[in-house]
Amino acid sequence: MLFFTQCFGAVLDLIHLRFQHYKAKRVFSAAGQLVCVVNPTHSLKYAPTRCAAAQTSTEQGVLPPCRHHEAVHDPQLVPCTCPLFSCPWEGHLEVVVSHLRQTHRINILQGAEIVFLATDMHLPAPTDWIIMHSCLGHQFLLVLRKQEKYEGHPQFFATMMLIGTPTQADNFTYRLELNRNQRRLKWEATPRSVLECVDSVISDGDCLVLNTSLAQLFSDNGSLAIGIAITTSKVHNAEDEM
C-alpha cells in the first residue's frame, strides 16, 4: 500500500507538471520556446542580506561592525547572490553559478527565449521565484519577488541580473513580456550585475513592477507566465562590426 501511494503521488506530480507546461504554452503560442515551471520559496522571516545591512548602516552614517577577518578580505570575492537566504558564502565570480546550482538548487535553462512560469502567486509576501538563464555565452539570474513595499499593499518585482561585471552587463538587453487575454505588457532594460544588490534594484524600482490587480489580469489560475528574451546591445554589435 505504501509503495502504491508513493507511485500514485509521483504520477499526480507528473500530471500537474505537464498541465503547468500546457498552460504556459497556451499563453505563449510561439513555437520552440522553452518553458520552466518555477515554484515559490516563501520565507516566514526575511533575514536582511549583508549588502542591505551595509547600505542601511551607510545611510545612517554608521559603519558596519568590523570583523577580524575583514582585514585580510579578498576584494575579488563575491558574496552569495541568491536573495532567498542570508547565505554566508563568498567566492570568485567564476564559481557563483556552481554555488547557486549545488547549494540553492536553482534550475538553469538554455535558449535565447524562454518562458518563466511562476506558480502560486497568491502566497503572502515575501515570496521569491528564481531561475538562471544561460544565453549568448553568459548566465543570467531572473528574480521575481512578491514584497510589501508599503504595508498591506504587496507588489511583484521582476529583474534580470547578469552573473558578471557591470561592464559585461552593459553589452546586453533583456525583455520581459506578459501576454494574456489580448493584453500585452513589456519591460525592456539593461541587466544589472550580480555585483550589485538585488534588494537595491527592487527598492529603486529599476525593474518590472506589478501591483496585485495588474498581476491578476495576466495570471492564469494563480500562475504568471513571463516571456524572457535576451539580446546583445546595439553598441556592442557596432563595436564587433568595427
Side-chain angles (χ1 to χ4, degrees), residues 47-210:
T49 59
R50 285 174 297 171
C51 57
Q55 180 181 8
T56 303
S57 300
T58 304
E59 292 174 351
Q60 295 175 351
V62 180
L63 294 177
C66 181
R67 300 177 184 176
H68 177 70
H69 71 274
E70 289 179 353
V72 291
H73 178 72
D74 187 348
Q76 295 183 347
L77 293 181
V78 180
C80 177
T81 57
C82 184
L84 296 177
F85 311 100
S86 182
C87 179
W89 179 89
E90 285 184 332
H92 290 278
L93 194 60
E94 294 79 10
V95 295
V96 169
V97 174
S98 299
H99 170 73
L100 293 176
R101 297 198 67 182
Q102 296 175 7
T103 303
H104 300 295
R105 305 299 186 202
I106 296 179
N107 294 326
I108 185 169
L109 216 60
Q110 297 184 0
E113 297 185 6
I114 64 174
V115 176
F116 177 97
L117 183 63
T119 65
D120 300 324
M121 302 294 295
H122 61 278
L123 289 178
T127 305
D128 286 306
W129 296 260
I130 296 182
I131 192 177
M132 283 192 292
H133 183 186
S134 179
C135 178
L136 300 175
H138 289 77
Q139 283 73 40
F140 301 82
L141 190 70
L142 177 68
V143 179
L144 173 64
R145 175 176 298 174
K146 184 178 183 180
Q147 179 175 310
E148 288 188 358
K149 198 166 186 179
Y150 305 101
E151 186 175 357
H153 298 280
Q155 293 177 301
F156 293 90
F157 304 86
T159 186
M160 182 74 76
M161 312 284 289
L162 172 70
I163 303 179
T165 65
T167 302
Q168 292 174 323
D170 289 338
N171 294 327
F172 299 95
T173 299
Y174 76 94
R175 185 181 73 247
L176 305 180
E177 180 178 339
L178 304 176
N179 189 354
R180 184 173 182 268
N181 292 337
Q182 299 181 346
R183 298 180 180 89
R184 178 173 295 179
L185 179 64
K186 290 183 180 182
W187 167 268
E188 187 171 292
T190 300
R192 303 282 284 270
S193 167
V194 293
L195 298 179
E196 305 177 58
C197 187
V198 176
D199 295 334
S200 299
V201 176
I202 291 178
S203 62
D204 293 341
D206 187 16
C207 55
L208 174 63
V209 182
L210 304 171

Side-chain angles (χ1 to χ4, degrees), residues 11-62:
V11 171
L12 289 180
D13 292 340
L14 180 60
I15 294 175
H16 176 72
L17 183 63
R18 296 288 297 178
F19 179 67
Q20 294 287 1
H21 277 78
Y22 168 76
K23 291 196 301 181
K25 291 182 178 180
R26 185 181 60 186
V27 175
F28 289 85
S29 58
Q33 283 187 310
L34 298 175
V35 179
C36 183
V37 179
V38 184
N39 295 321
T41 298
H42 181 63
S43 177
L44 297 178
K45 183 177 181 181
Y46 221 75
T49 59
R50 285 174 297 171
C51 57
Q55 180 181 8
T56 303
S57 300
T58 304
E59 292 174 351
Q60 295 175 351
V62 180

